[in-house]
Amino acid sequence: MWIDTHCHLDAAEFASEEDAVAARAQQQAVTMIVIPAVARDNFATVESLAHRNSNCTYALGIHPIFVPQAREEDLAAMRVAVEAAMTDTRFVAIGEIGLDFFIPILTTPEMREKQEFFYTEQLKIARDFGLPVLLHVRKSQDSILKYLRRINVIGGIAHAFNGSFQQAEIFIELGFKLGFGGAMTFTRALQLRRLATTLPIDSIVLETDAPDISPAWVHPERNSPEQLPRIGQVLAELRDMPVAAIAQITSANALVAMPRLGVVI
Protein backbone atom coordinates (compact mmCIF):
# COMPACT_ATOMS: atom_id res chain seq x y z
CA MET A 1 0.00 0.00 0.00
CA TRP A 2 0.95 3.65 -0.40
CA ILE A 3 0.15 6.60 1.87
CA ASP A 4 -0.05 10.13 0.47
CA THR A 5 0.84 12.11 3.57
CA HIS A 6 -0.08 15.49 2.08
CA CYS A 7 -2.77 16.20 -0.51
CA HIS A 8 -5.05 19.23 -0.81
CA LEU A 9 -7.98 17.30 -2.22
CA ASP A 10 -10.29 20.18 -1.29
CA ALA A 11 -8.48 22.59 -3.64
CA ALA A 12 -10.45 24.37 -6.36
CA GLU A 13 -8.53 22.43 -9.02
CA PHE A 14 -10.41 19.29 -7.93
CA ALA A 15 -13.84 20.94 -7.74
CA SER A 16 -16.62 18.35 -8.25
CA GLU A 17 -14.00 15.63 -8.91
CA GLU A 18 -12.74 15.02 -5.38
CA ASP A 19 -14.43 11.67 -4.86
CA ALA A 20 -13.43 10.41 -8.30
CA VAL A 21 -9.81 11.44 -7.70
CA ALA A 22 -9.77 9.62 -4.36
CA ALA A 23 -11.28 6.53 -6.01
CA ARG A 24 -8.67 6.52 -8.79
CA ALA A 25 -5.93 6.82 -6.19
CA GLN A 26 -7.36 3.86 -4.32
CA GLN A 27 -7.30 1.82 -7.53
CA GLN A 28 -3.56 2.58 -7.66
CA ALA A 29 -3.16 1.16 -4.11
CA VAL A 30 -3.02 4.59 -2.45
CA THR A 31 -4.62 3.23 0.70
CA MET A 32 -4.65 6.53 2.57
CA ILE A 33 -4.62 10.24 1.72
CA VAL A 34 -4.10 12.91 4.37
CA ILE A 35 -5.92 16.17 3.59
CA PRO A 36 -4.58 19.14 5.57
CA ALA A 37 -6.75 22.19 6.15
CA VAL A 38 -5.37 25.62 5.26
CA ALA A 39 -7.79 28.01 6.97
CA ARG A 40 -10.63 28.05 9.46
CA ASP A 41 -13.21 28.23 6.67
CA ASN A 42 -12.19 24.90 5.15
CA PHE A 43 -12.11 22.84 8.37
CA ALA A 44 -15.57 21.43 7.64
CA THR A 45 -14.66 20.74 4.00
CA VAL A 46 -11.64 18.55 4.74
CA GLU A 47 -13.57 16.73 7.43
CA SER A 48 -16.42 16.03 5.01
CA LEU A 49 -14.06 14.75 2.31
CA ALA A 50 -12.40 12.40 4.78
CA HIS A 51 -15.75 10.95 5.80
CA ARG A 52 -16.98 10.57 2.22
CA ASN A 53 -13.95 8.61 1.05
CA SER A 54 -12.70 5.50 2.81
CA ASN A 55 -9.07 6.22 1.88
CA CYS A 56 -9.02 9.79 3.24
CA THR A 57 -8.20 11.38 6.60
CA TYR A 58 -7.73 15.02 7.57
CA ALA A 59 -5.73 17.51 9.60
CA LEU A 60 -6.72 20.91 10.97
CA GLY A 61 -4.53 24.00 10.75
CA ILE A 62 -4.02 27.51 9.41
CA HIS A 63 -1.48 27.61 6.56
CA PRO A 64 1.10 30.44 6.64
CA ILE A 65 -0.07 31.68 3.23
CA PHE A 66 -3.51 32.23 4.78
CA VAL A 67 -2.16 34.00 7.87
CA PRO A 68 -2.51 37.52 6.38
CA GLN A 69 -6.32 37.12 6.34
CA ALA A 70 -6.50 35.11 9.58
CA ARG A 71 -7.68 36.60 12.86
CA GLU A 72 -6.60 35.73 16.36
CA GLU A 73 -10.10 34.40 17.09
CA ASP A 74 -9.49 31.74 14.43
CA LEU A 75 -6.98 30.16 16.79
CA ALA A 76 -9.58 29.90 19.54
CA ALA A 77 -12.01 28.37 17.04
CA MET A 78 -9.32 25.94 15.92
CA ARG A 79 -8.72 24.79 19.49
CA VAL A 80 -12.45 24.12 19.87
CA ALA A 81 -12.54 22.26 16.53
CA VAL A 82 -9.53 20.12 17.47
CA GLU A 83 -11.03 19.21 20.83
CA ALA A 84 -14.25 18.12 19.10
CA ALA A 85 -12.30 16.16 16.47
CA MET A 86 -10.33 14.11 18.99
CA THR A 87 -13.13 11.52 19.01
CA ASP A 88 -13.09 11.34 15.19
CA THR A 89 -10.89 8.51 13.93
CA ARG A 90 -10.48 10.32 10.59
CA PHE A 91 -8.68 13.22 12.30
CA VAL A 92 -4.93 12.58 12.41
CA ALA A 93 -2.85 15.75 12.84
CA ILE A 94 -2.47 19.50 13.13
CA GLY A 95 -1.70 21.00 9.74
CA GLU A 96 -0.82 22.53 7.51
CA ILE A 97 1.03 24.99 9.71
CA GLY A 98 4.45 26.60 9.61
CA LEU A 99 6.32 29.53 8.09
CA ASP A 100 6.82 30.75 4.52
CA PHE A 101 9.67 33.15 3.87
CA PHE A 102 9.58 32.71 0.09
CA ILE A 103 6.54 34.78 -0.90
CA PRO A 104 7.56 38.47 -0.73
CA ILE A 105 4.37 39.70 0.97
CA LEU A 106 5.00 37.22 3.81
CA THR A 107 8.55 38.43 4.47
CA THR A 108 7.77 41.94 5.75
CA PRO A 109 8.57 42.39 9.47
CA GLU A 110 4.86 42.63 10.27
CA MET A 111 3.95 39.45 8.38
CA ARG A 112 6.91 37.50 9.73
CA GLU A 113 5.80 38.36 13.23
CA LYS A 114 2.19 37.37 12.52
CA GLN A 115 3.28 34.11 10.91
CA GLU A 116 5.45 33.24 13.88
CA PHE A 117 2.59 34.01 16.28
CA PHE A 118 0.15 31.75 14.41
CA TYR A 119 2.76 29.03 14.06
CA THR A 120 3.68 28.96 17.73
CA GLU A 121 0.07 29.11 18.90
CA GLN A 122 -0.76 26.13 16.68
CA LEU A 123 2.26 24.23 17.98
CA LYS A 124 0.82 24.77 21.46
CA ILE A 125 -2.50 23.27 20.35
CA ALA A 126 -0.65 20.24 18.97
CA ARG A 127 1.33 19.94 22.19
CA ASP A 128 -1.74 20.24 24.39
CA PHE A 129 -3.64 17.51 22.50
CA GLY A 130 -0.65 15.25 21.87
CA LEU A 131 -0.92 15.54 18.09
CA PRO A 132 1.74 15.50 15.35
CA VAL A 133 2.15 18.50 13.06
CA LEU A 134 2.36 18.80 9.27
CA LEU A 135 4.86 21.58 8.69
CA HIS A 136 5.22 24.06 5.83
CA VAL A 137 8.94 24.87 5.83
CA ARG A 138 9.57 26.86 2.63
CA LYS A 139 12.74 28.97 3.08
CA SER A 140 12.12 28.80 6.82
CA GLN A 141 13.70 25.61 8.16
CA ASP A 142 15.91 27.26 10.78
CA SER A 143 13.06 29.36 12.19
CA ILE A 144 10.75 26.33 12.17
CA LEU A 145 13.35 24.37 14.14
CA LYS A 146 13.92 27.22 16.60
CA TYR A 147 10.31 27.07 17.74
CA LEU A 148 10.19 23.27 17.72
CA ARG A 149 12.99 23.33 20.29
CA ARG A 150 10.91 25.64 22.50
CA ILE A 151 7.50 23.99 22.14
CA ASN A 152 7.65 20.22 22.44
CA VAL A 153 5.34 18.34 20.10
CA ILE A 154 5.32 14.59 19.53
CA GLY A 155 6.67 14.92 15.98
CA GLY A 156 5.14 14.95 12.55
CA ILE A 157 6.31 15.69 9.03
CA ALA A 158 8.42 18.45 7.48
CA HIS A 159 6.36 18.64 4.29
CA ALA A 160 8.08 19.20 0.91
CA PHE A 161 11.46 19.13 2.60
CA ASN A 162 14.20 20.89 0.65
CA GLY A 163 16.69 21.95 3.30
CA SER A 164 20.24 20.91 4.03
CA PHE A 165 21.43 17.54 5.28
CA GLN A 166 22.24 19.18 8.62
CA GLN A 167 18.71 20.60 8.92
CA ALA A 168 17.30 17.20 8.02
CA GLU A 169 19.31 15.60 10.82
CA ILE A 170 17.87 18.05 13.36
CA PHE A 171 14.29 17.39 12.22
CA ILE A 172 14.95 13.68 12.55
CA GLU A 173 16.46 14.12 16.03
CA LEU A 174 13.29 15.97 17.04
CA GLY A 175 11.16 13.03 15.94
CA PHE A 176 10.09 14.21 12.51
CA LYS A 177 9.81 12.49 9.15
CA LEU A 178 10.63 14.33 5.92
CA GLY A 179 8.16 14.53 3.04
CA PHE A 180 9.33 13.88 -0.53
CA GLY A 181 7.18 14.12 -3.64
CA GLY A 182 7.06 15.31 -7.21
CA ALA A 183 10.04 17.69 -6.99
CA MET A 184 12.28 14.67 -6.42
CA THR A 185 11.37 13.28 -9.86
CA PHE A 186 13.19 16.03 -11.80
CA THR A 187 16.72 15.05 -12.77
CA ARG A 188 17.89 18.65 -12.29
CA ALA A 189 16.86 18.58 -8.61
CA LEU A 190 20.32 17.39 -7.64
CA GLN A 191 20.35 18.38 -3.96
CA LEU A 192 16.86 17.02 -3.34
CA ARG A 193 17.72 13.73 -5.03
CA ARG A 194 20.91 13.47 -2.95
CA LEU A 195 18.83 13.90 0.19
CA ALA A 196 16.31 11.29 -0.96
CA THR A 197 19.15 8.90 -1.70
CA THR A 198 21.27 9.35 1.42
CA LEU A 199 18.93 10.18 4.32
CA PRO A 200 17.94 7.24 6.53
CA ILE A 201 15.09 5.44 4.79
CA ASP A 202 13.12 5.33 8.03
CA SER A 203 13.01 9.16 7.99
CA ILE A 204 11.23 9.48 4.62
CA VAL A 205 7.53 9.66 3.82
CA LEU A 206 5.91 10.21 0.45
CA GLU A 207 3.45 12.90 -0.57
CA THR A 208 2.00 14.56 -3.64
CA ASP A 209 0.94 18.01 -2.34
CA ALA A 210 -1.64 17.70 -5.11
CA PRO A 211 -2.75 19.68 -7.00
CA ASP A 212 0.71 21.29 -6.67
CA ILE A 213 4.31 20.05 -7.14
CA SER A 214 3.52 17.82 -10.10
CA PRO A 215 6.08 15.12 -10.95
CA ALA A 216 8.16 15.45 -14.12
CA TRP A 217 5.81 13.35 -16.28
CA VAL A 218 2.77 15.49 -15.35
CA HIS A 219 4.28 18.98 -15.06
CA PRO A 220 2.91 21.59 -15.65
CA GLU A 221 -0.50 19.93 -15.38
CA ARG A 222 -2.44 19.29 -12.16
CA ASN A 223 -0.92 16.81 -9.76
CA SER A 224 -3.04 14.03 -8.25
CA PRO A 225 -2.68 11.44 -5.47
CA GLU A 226 -2.85 8.64 -8.04
CA GLN A 227 0.68 9.68 -9.05
CA LEU A 228 2.11 8.58 -5.70
CA PRO A 229 3.12 5.01 -6.69
CA ARG A 230 5.15 6.31 -9.63
CA ILE A 231 6.78 8.91 -7.37
CA GLY A 232 7.61 6.02 -5.05
CA GLN A 233 9.13 4.17 -7.97
CA VAL A 234 11.53 7.10 -8.53
CA LEU A 235 12.60 6.89 -4.88
CA ALA A 236 13.13 3.14 -5.31
CA GLU A 237 15.35 3.77 -8.33
CA LEU A 238 17.36 6.46 -6.52
CA ARG A 239 17.99 4.14 -3.57
CA ASP A 240 18.34 0.95 -5.65
CA MET A 241 15.58 -0.74 -3.66
CA PRO A 242 12.53 -2.79 -4.68
CA VAL A 243 9.41 -0.70 -5.19
CA ALA A 244 7.48 -2.96 -2.80
CA ALA A 245 10.01 -2.25 -0.06
CA ILE A 246 9.68 1.50 -0.59
CA ALA A 247 5.89 1.22 -0.35
CA GLN A 248 6.10 -0.79 2.84
CA ILE A 249 8.76 1.33 4.55
CA THR A 250 7.36 4.75 3.69
CA SER A 251 3.88 3.65 4.75
CA ALA A 252 5.25 2.38 8.06
CA ASN A 253 7.05 5.70 8.50
CA ALA A 254 3.78 7.57 7.92
CA LEU A 255 2.12 5.51 10.64
CA VAL A 256 4.93 6.43 13.03
CA ALA A 257 4.60 10.12 12.13
CA MET A 258 0.80 10.08 12.51
CA PRO A 259 -0.15 7.31 14.95
CA ARG A 260 -3.88 7.97 14.56
CA LEU A 261 -3.64 6.76 10.95
CA GLY A 262 -3.22 3.25 12.29
CA VAL A 263 -6.76 3.30 13.64
CA VAL A 264 -8.21 3.91 10.17
CA ILE A 265 -6.07 1.60 8.05
Side-chain angles (χ1 to χ4, degrees), residues 43-116:
F43 286 2
T45 304
V46 298
E47 178 187 4
S48 174
L49 278 173
H51 281 274
R52 287 207 318 260
N53 296 281
S54 63
N55 64 331
C56 291
T57 55
Y58 69 101
L60 295 177
I62 299 169
H63 192 295
I65 291 176
F66 288 80
V67 162
Q69 306 97 282
R71 297 171 295 177
E72 193 167 337
E73 64 199 60
D74 294 341
L75 291 165
M78 177 177 161
R79 184 175 285 272
V80 171
V82 168
E83 184 173 14
M86 290 301 293
T87 59
D88 184 355
T89 57
R90 297 263 153 198
F91 172 60
V92 297
I94 296 294
E96 178 176 358
I97 70 171
L99 301 169
D100 190 306
F101 297 151
F102 174 77
I103 299 174
I105 195 174
L106 296 177
T107 62
T108 66
E110 180 185 8
M111 274 301 126
R112 285 179 72 107
E113 183 179 352
K114 188 175 182 183
Q115 280 196 74
E116 290 175 2

Side-chain angles (χ1 to χ4, degrees), residues 109-126:
E110 180 185 8
M111 274 301 126
R112 285 179 72 107
E113 183 179 352
K114 188 175 182 183
Q115 280 196 74
E116 290 175 2
F117 173 72
F118 270 78
Y119 169 50
T120 56
E121 290 304 304
Q122 292 181 95
L123 284 181
K124 291 173 186 175
I125 294 174

